Amino acid sequence: MQRWIRNFFDTHRPKFEKEGRFHRYHGLFEAFETIFFLPDSTTSQSPHIRDSLDLKRFMSIVILAIVPVALFGIYNTGFYACLAAGKSTAFLPSFMQGLLIFIPLLVVSYGVGFFWEALFAVRRGHGISEGFLVSGLLYPLILPPDLPLWQAAIGISFGVVIGKEIFGGTGRNLLNPALTARAFVFFAYPGQMSGDAVWISGGATDAVSGATALAISAQAEPGSQIPAMLDQAGLGLFELFVGRTPGSIGETSALLCLVGALILIITGVANWRIMVGGVLGVLGTGMLLNQLATGSLAAAMGLPAYYHLVMGGFAFGIVFMATDPVTAPGTDAARWLYGFLIGALTVLIRVFNPAYPEGTMLAILFMNLFAPLLDHFVIQIRLRKRISHV
Amino acid sequence: MENLMGIFLNSVFVGNILLAYFLGMCSFVAVSGNLKTATGLGFAVIFVLAITTPVNWFIHHYLLAPGALAWAGLPDVDLNFLRFITFIASIAAMVQIVEMVIERISQALYTALGVFLPLIAVNCAILGTSLFMVERNYNFSESLVFGLGSGTGWFLAIVAMASLRQKLRYADLPYGLEGYGITMIVTGLMAMGFMIFSGIAL
């Protein structure tokens, strides 16, 4: 089998080389070949480090870390869809139902995204990078389950083309492509992207309320006790941590995001400073607001800070989105600050912005904009510490 | 005091003069290529806004607004139709005066700001801030804080844009989009990021 594939690529390679008939499609050919075989070409210019960690392996580890979250997300989405439809909520039927919801979104995300990647690769003569395998998997996971597929397609088109390809492809984008895509859909089609009805496939019914923990906390009257209200709605701290709650497909389980975070940190793929900074930002801001909370101000101010870590998409965002090495800062001090500000902004938006119950997505996009500036300041401070004209 | 804090935060983040109202785009796009000059121009805009907005408040309240000339014994005169031209003239005059004062006091700052200082006279963020000040019925201290906040918001936007454009030096842009084209697109993406604050009532 392996020899057959090898032969296939070898016989067709000349057509894609410089003088070949299809040399325009060289990037496409290479992308498919490197799925099956390790490329034998190495970086031609010095300096370079001998390491087995190339972009493909790097991205494979990220995908591996996302898989548990995705599998649980599929089950959870299916569970709520079955519950809303009044069907059996046993494990297997729920999982199948979830697959029926998730797979079309995934196919659209990969299919449409790959189309744009390939178009740009062919027209502009650069290779197709593995980065899109991650963005294309993250994108459906942060969508509400019932989003019409054409809207998902328009979103990923915007994310890939405006968010990434016009800057020259993977490694050159300023904003996280998956989040850009989601933000675009969020602002373009608010009816399908927010509110109580969208988080459960089939819509909320009398039997199941579609309200997420964030919506409950945002709509609570001043002076009310949110943790008790959440318990009453079946969204206690434990359920929120494990992820048995309605929400975007992949965002609900803080526990499995933590597992993903461990995989990413142990393999050295994602930077732990950003994640720890983010958690500190949430806890610090949350506790500060707890101190300031009084009966007449927003009830969410009194919500214990650790609830913000498990509610909504914060865990997913800080682990898989904020740590994107292209759009995050490159210096350690800037990473701490970047993570901290994402956490702080998330809490501030959740508590004080009545327009959005959730702030993680826009907090990360906002900090993406300031990542180069943070790096610049860190470098300037370091330069100033040097002894001049030694 | 809380009210003034609210106006400041509102004009820096929620109603950022550049990324929410898209005023002052021309010098933003033209000067954001270099972080150092962008910082200089940003400070100059803060400075000029903090002076022109209160000055225009005086002009509006004691010359132009309906009934403003009551102190001169002319309570029925309404010179409001002169608002635009008077504001533009006062902004140009203020920029000139500021320029001369800076040249007299600090030669170093004057050379650092260079040509950008006179250019501020035609920056529409300055006129826009004065007109918003009238529209929102700010009093004197509010208009001072509003001017400062608007300037700070503009400063934040241009400095962030300059650092992003520095990063874009390593990008591989399509031929037609180099320079101003990509800057406009990035401005749009920045505005999307700043929408995180839209909806906050301060």
Side-chain angles (χ1 to χ4, degrees):
Chain A
M1 181 69 186
Q2 194 185 358
R3 191 181 300 159
W4 185 82
I5 298 172
R6 181 76 265 174
N7 270 336
F8 175 80
F9 281 113
D10 283 345
T11 44
H12 290 284
R13 169 158 315 110
K15 293 182 196 161
F16 293 94
E17 305 273 87
K18 267 262 160 64
E19 260 74 53
R21 212 158 21 126
F22 301 122
H23 70 266
R24 287 196 141 199
Y25 304 96
H26 181 75
L28 217 60
F29 175 79
E30 201 183 52
F32 279 112
E33 189 190 7
T34 50
I35 290 175
F36 295 101
F37 299 103
L38 272 180
D40 48 6
S41 56
T42 49
T43 314
S44 54
Q45 286 168 325
S46 62
H48 54 261
I49 302 170
R50 282 188 75 89
D51 194 340
S52 56
L53 182 70
D54 59 358
L55 191 63
K56 191 152 282 189
R57 163 119 13 132
F58 193 90
M59 295 301 179
S60 312
I61 293 173
V62 180
I63 290 179
L64 195 73
I66 299 172
V67 163
V69 182
L71 289 178
F72 179 81
I74 292 169
Y75 161 69
N76 191 52
T77 309
F79 171 83
Y80 275 101
C82 288
L83 198 64
K87 291 192 227 157
S88 149
T89 55
F91 177 77
L92 210 58
S94 295
F95 192 78
M96 294 313 286
Q97 183 69 32
L99 278 179
L100 283 179
I101 296 165
F102 181 70
I103 295 296
L105 280 173
L106 186 71
V107 168
V108 164
S109 164
Y110 272 147
V112 175
F114 185 77
F115 165 75
W116 290 113
E117 290 264 328
L119 187 69
F120 271 83
V122 168
R123 281 297 296 160
R124 308 204 57 212
H126 63 67
I128 294 179
S129 140
E130 295 74 18
F132 180 68
L133 291 177
V134 173
S135 307
L137 177 59
L138 285 174
Y139 175 63
L141 286 175
I142 51 177
L143 291 177
D146 262 358
L147 189 75
L149 293 178
W150 63 272
Q151 291 181 2
I154 290 178
I156 193 71
S157 302
F158 184 86
V160 169
V161 176
I162 304 290
K164 191 168 86 173
E165 283 301 331
I166 57 163
F167 296 107
T170 302
R172 279 132 175 181
N173 45 314
L174 300 176
L175 299 178
N176 186 316
L179 277 179
T180 312
R182 197 210 195 262
F184 178 80
V185 187
F186 178 78
F187 289 123
Y189 310 108
Q192 280 76 30
M193 287 297 282
S194 47
D196 283 353
V198 304
W199 303 115
I200 291 175
S201 178
T205 56
D206 290 343
V208 221
S209 134
T212 59
L214 287 167
I216 293 175
S217 131
Q219 287 154 10
E221 297 287 319
S224 49
Q225 288 299 320
I226 294 174
M229 291 165 69
L230 290 176
D231 279 338
Q232 210 176 12
L235 304 172
L237 194 58
F238 181 73
E239 278 80 12
L240 287 169
F241 178 63
V242 175
R244 301 262 326 223
T245 58
S248 293
I249 297 173
E251 69 170 12
T252 54
S253 175
L255 172 67
L256 289 170
C257 289
L258 200 62
V259 172
L262 285 179
I263 297 177
L264 292 179
I265 290 173
I266 289 170
T267 53
V269 165
N271 197 292
W272 59 272
R273 291 176 186 85
I274 296 173
M275 299 189 206
V276 177
V279 172
L280 289 178
V282 166
L283 292 178
T285 316
M287 284 172 185
L288 182 71
L289 292 180
N290 289 350
Q291 296 302 315
L292 300 173
T294 56
S296 59
L297 291 168
M301 279 177 80
L303 183 68
Y306 47 83
Y307 267 91
H308 285 291
L309 293 176
V310 293
M311 286 195 321
F314 176 75
F316 190 84
I318 198 78
V319 171
F320 297 112
M321 302 289 202
T323 54
D324 169 11
V326 180
T327 54
T331 51
D332 282 346
R335 284 179 179 136
W336 280 107
L337 192 60
Y338 170 84
F340 186 88
L341 288 175
I342 288 176
L345 274 174
T346 302
V347 175
L348 290 177
I349 294 306
R350 283 180 182 178
V351 175
F352 291 117
N353 194 340
Y356 319 129
E358 169 65 309
T360 309
M361 164 184 80
L362 287 167
I364 296 173
L365 281 178
F366 184 79
M367 287 314 297
N368 280 170
L369 294 173
F370 287 93
L373 193 64
L374 293 179
D375 268 341
H376 173 81
F377 284 137
V378 171
I379 292 168
Q380 287 302 311
I381 290 170
R382 269 191 213 161
L383 287 179
R384 207 162 293 167
K385 273 190 193 156
R386 271 192 203 158
I387 309 165
S388 53
H389 308 299
V390 178
Chain B
M1 197 59 215
E2 231 167 64
N3 173 29
L4 294 182
M5 272 298 277
I7 288 175
F8 184 79
L9 291 177
N10 189 52
S11 52
V12 175
F13 294 110
V14 187
N16 188 299
I17 193 85
L18 206 148
L19 294 169
Y21 294 105
F22 297 100
L23 292 174
M25 282 284 290
C26 21
S27 38
F28 172 77
V29 171
V31 184
S32 56
N34 178 311
L35 190 54
K36 214 167 179 185
T37 47
T39 317
L41 183 66
F43 276 124
V45 167
I46 297 182
F47 192 66
V48 170
L49 267 174
I51 294 177
T52 56
T53 318
V55 165
N56 281 338
W57 183 86
F58 269 111
I59 293 177
H60 178 73
H61 273 257
Y62 293 103
L63 291 176
L64 300 181
L69 282 169
W71 57 271
L74 300 165
D76 298 330
V77 177
D78 178 4
L79 293 178
N80 225 347
F81 64 96
L82 289 175
R83 191 197 297 165
F84 284 82
I85 198 159
T86 328
F87 279 8
I88 292 173
S90 88
I91 288 169
M94 286 323 294
V95 171
Q96 280 299 314
I97 293 174
V98 167
E99 194 184 349
M100 288 191 280
V101 169
I102 291 183
E103 191 182 8
R104 182 79 181 79
I105 295 174
S106 161
Q107 199 68 40
L109 183 62
Y110 181 74
T111 39
L113 289 177
V115 69
F116 302 122
L117 203 50
L119 269 183
I120 292 173
V122 291
N123 185 334
C124 43
I126 314 281
L127 179 64
T129 305
S130 286
L131 294 175
F132 282 143
M133 173 266 296
V134 172
E135 209 168 86
R136 296 177 191 174
N137 283 323
Y138 285 145
N139 65 27
F140 176 72
S141 52
E142 282 171 344
S143 67
L144 177 68
V145 170
F146 179 57
L148 263 176
S150 274
T152 312
W154 202 89
F155 172 84
L156 196 68
I158 196 172
V159 170
M161 175 54 112
S163 68
L164 287 171
R165 280 181 75 173
Q166 237 167 28
K167 191 176 174 184
L168 277 182
R169 283 181 200 163
Y170 304 100
D172 172 22
L173 302 172
Y175 174 69
L177 279 180
E178 280 161 15
Y180 294 148
I182 198 74
T183 310
M184 292 298 283
I185 292 176
V186 174
T187 311
L189 291 174
M190 284 181 80
M192 194 166 81
F194 265 75
M195 279 182 81
I196 186 175
F197 301 109
S198 74
I200 297 181
L202 280 169

